[in-house]
Amino acid sequence: MPHDIALATNTAIGTLELRQAQPLPDGQSFGALLVVRSGGLAAALPFFFTRQALRQFVDRLDALGTGEARLGAREGGDFVALTTLDDERAAVFGELQEDDGVQQMRFRFETPRHGLESLAAGARRLLLDFES
């Protein structure tokens, strides 16, 4: 069953979503439509990542007091990442490019830290559904 996973930003200038995230037939990867909006920039691209990458992302989100939680694409250098700035704020950033490498987007926005829980809970559910 596909999952929609979203960061609760409570702002119109920053969005991070994994829409229709679901396991792929290879049994080791997931696919989703990654939707990012940062200020006046926006992207909606297919995003593929491994089960191991998702597990590491969930583990880092659960322990996000220091460092960063990064979800990297299965191939290429695309990624989305989050890091805490202080007790109340987090930064969301990443790099995306189309398959041909001509179009590229680097983004960064800040969001209330409490909004990270919606993303962590959605990622956790996807992982648990896949592993059960």
Side-chain angles (χ1 to χ4, degrees):
M1 169 181 11
H3 292 259
D4 289 332
I5 302 168
L7 174 69
T9 61
N10 300 324
T11 175
I13 62 168
T15 299
L16 177 65
E17 300 176 16
L18 289 168
R19 294 184 183 168
Q20 298 293 301
Q22 58 190 310
L24 297 178
D26 69 5
Q28 297 299 315
S29 302
F30 295 90
L33 178 67
L34 175 65
V35 177
V36 174
R37 186 177 65 238
S38 179
L41 300 176
L45 299 168
F47 191 70
F48 302 99
F49 48 96
T50 66
R51 177 174 49 179
Q52 181 63 27
L54 180 61
R55 185 178 294 113
Q56 290 173 349
F57 184 65
V58 167
D59 289 347
R60 292 298 302 153
L61 280 173
D62 288 342
L64 198 60
T66 60
E68 72 179 38
R70 179 182 292 239
L71 181 60
R74 183 175 65 182
E75 297 173 1
D78 292 1
F79 72 92
V80 295
L82 301 97
T83 187
T84 54
L85 299 173
D86 57 34
D87 289 342
E88 296 180 10
R89 297 176 307 131
V92 180
F93 59 98
E95 295 181 13
L96 306 170
Q97 63 182 352
E98 290 184 326
D99 287 338
D100 61 10
V102 174
Q103 299 292 324
Q104 298 178 350
M105 177 179 166
R106 296 177 84 183
F107 64 92
R108 183 185 185 283
F109 62 89
E110 293 182 13
T111 187
R113 187 172 170 173
H114 62 79
L116 301 180
E117 181 51 38
S118 64
L119 183 71
R124 232 181 276 115
R125 276 192 310 274
L126 177 61
L127 190 57
L128 288 173
D129 283 356
F130 180 76
E131 292 181 338
S132 60

